[in-house]
Amino acid sequence: MERKLFLIDGNSMLASAYYGAAASRTKKGREVSKNDRSAVIGMTGLIRTILRRHRPTHFVVVWDVSRETLWRRELYPGYKRRRRQTPPELKAQMELMRQLLEESGIPQYQVEGYEGEDLIAHIARKFSCSAPVVIMTKDKDLLQLVSPRITVWLQTQELQQMQARCDIKDNRPLPLKRHLEIRPEEIAALYEGLKPKQLSAVKALTGDRSDGIPPVAGLDESQSVQLIKRFGSLEKLYTALSVKGDKRQQINETIAALTSEEVPRNLRRTRKKAERNMELVRLDVTVPELEHLKLAHLELSINSKRVEQAYQKRGIRLSFDSSQKKISAR
């Protein structure tokens, strides 16, 4: 059997299930109970679908840790500072999901000081030569990892718009419901010919309000894409901005034509901010705690009875029998 490694962004997938169920409850006028397990049931259903439909040989779920310990917070204290706190009901389900994965024998990792995306980047690059990699997430930051051997299945609410931009026909099957398969050709279609590795420079210039990363020189994403398309990288953009004499005026005019008149001056004033942003967004961190990891550690070996018993102890009816359509809680 051909090897296939699936990397699951645990926080992203569980939060999607939680807020999706919460929206449904709000529509029906129901409160969230302290014993709510809807997110666990949703994420478990997703994992079960992957195992049945796509038959991965290797599989791992990664988790974030406390934001207070992140190395990015040390580099920039404002990083994710304004993010709202995780609801206690969701925290409780994260802990329950981790317990269930452990008792089910499904590999999972979290490392103090690092985000799940750092772990995904480390593992994907380490093993992509040995097995094709699929990353499941709703986080666009991970698109910079896309390569001929690494695919992202992006969960998105902009599915139809992204399909249209990629010129994906309706008859091309989705890998999973509400997930778009992102390969190098989709990156090129979505970002005007850019390569995945150039997306970190785009985000460094654009910033990210949700992560507390400020934009550089007031640039939006479309302007940042145009600059990286024209100059190739952040380093080359600032090399061009540092020239003197007649060439300086030519560079000013080129950049102004792609953005606005004041941007060349503002970019020169904010170079350090752009370089710091690049450190924050680029996923090329080595995680020392994962250096020992071998592909065999991620091999999937599931005992169906053991999994079912782990869930039944928590009052969740789960079967790997294909006849069971839904997972339910008592």
Side-chain angles (χ1 to χ4, degrees), residues 15-251:
S16 289
Y18 175 81
Y19 288 111
S24 175
R25 277 191 300 267
T26 301
K27 246 184 210 181
K28 297 172 183 176
R30 295 200 311 235
E31 297 279 326
V32 179
S33 76
K34 287 184 179 178
N35 296 319
D36 179 52
R37 287 164 288 178
S38 56
V40 168
I41 290 170
M43 183 167 170
T44 299
L46 186 70
I47 291 174
R48 192 176 66 159
T49 299
I50 295 166
L51 300 184
R52 286 177 174 175
R53 191 180 298 174
H54 299 285
R55 306 284 181 184
T57 56
H58 298 74
F59 192 95
V60 61
V61 179
V62 301
W63 300 98
D64 290 335
V65 294
S66 168
R67 295 173 201 148
E68 299 302 322
T69 68
L70 296 178
W71 68 266
R72 289 182 177 86
R73 182 69 65 83
E74 293 179 17
L75 177 63
Y76 176 54
Y79 182 72
K80 292 190 175 179
R81 182 67 70 182
R82 294 187 180 181
R83 283 267 183 107
R84 63 182 175 182
Q85 292 298 309
T86 304
E89 296 84 5
L90 177 53
K91 273 188 179 177
Q93 291 196 68
M94 283 181 179
E95 180 57 32
L96 175 57
M97 192 75 227
R98 283 193 284 262
Q99 290 172 10
L100 288 166
L101 290 173
E102 183 176 354
E103 291 178 32
S104 300
I106 294 177
Q108 59 180 332
Y109 290 92
Q110 62 180 51
V111 177
E112 202 65 35
Y114 295 90
E115 294 181 80
E117 62 186 30
D118 295 318
L119 275 63
I120 288 173
H122 182 107
I123 294 169
R125 288 183 172 135
K126 185 178 179 76
F127 297 121
S128 61
C129 290
S130 303
V133 176
V134 173
I135 298 169
M136 290 194 58
T137 185
K138 63 176 182 180
D139 188 350
K140 289 183 179 178
D141 292 351
L142 289 162
L143 296 183
Q144 62 184 276
L145 301 177
V146 169
S147 76
R149 298 281 293 176
I150 302 173
T151 302
V152 170
W153 289 1
L154 186 71
Q155 186 182 53
T156 176
Q157 295 179 331
E158 302 171 352
L159 185 61
Q160 290 183 330
Q161 299 96 305
M162 292 180 79
Q163 283 179 310
R165 287 168 65 187
C166 296
D167 195 27
I168 295 173
K169 307 304 180 188
D170 288 340
N171 60 357
R172 174 174 155 186
L174 299 176
L176 288 169
K177 189 177 180 182
R178 293 191 299 276
H179 286 74
L180 184 64
E181 184 180 28
I182 307 288
R183 303 163 300 176
E185 49 265 48
E186 278 74 43
I187 296 292
L190 291 167
Y191 295 96
E192 300 201 24
L194 293 187
K195 295 177 180 177
K197 65 181 181 181
Q198 294 175 297
L199 298 187
S200 53
V202 171
K203 185 170 179 180
L205 292 171
T206 308
D208 187 328
R209 181 177 293 179
S210 69
D211 286 348
I213 301 173
V216 173
L219 293 168
D220 60 26
E221 185 180 272
S222 62
Q223 292 171 325
S224 300
V225 167
Q226 291 303 320
L227 288 174
I228 300 305
K229 183 179 177 181
R230 170 64 179 78
F231 293 96
S233 68
L234 195 69
E235 184 180 0
K236 288 178 181 177
L237 169 62
Y238 276 101
T239 297
L241 282 162
S242 66
V243 300
K244 307 292 184 184
D246 294 342
K247 285 189 177 180
R248 189 182 184 92
Q249 183 58 32
Q250 291 174 10
I251 292 297

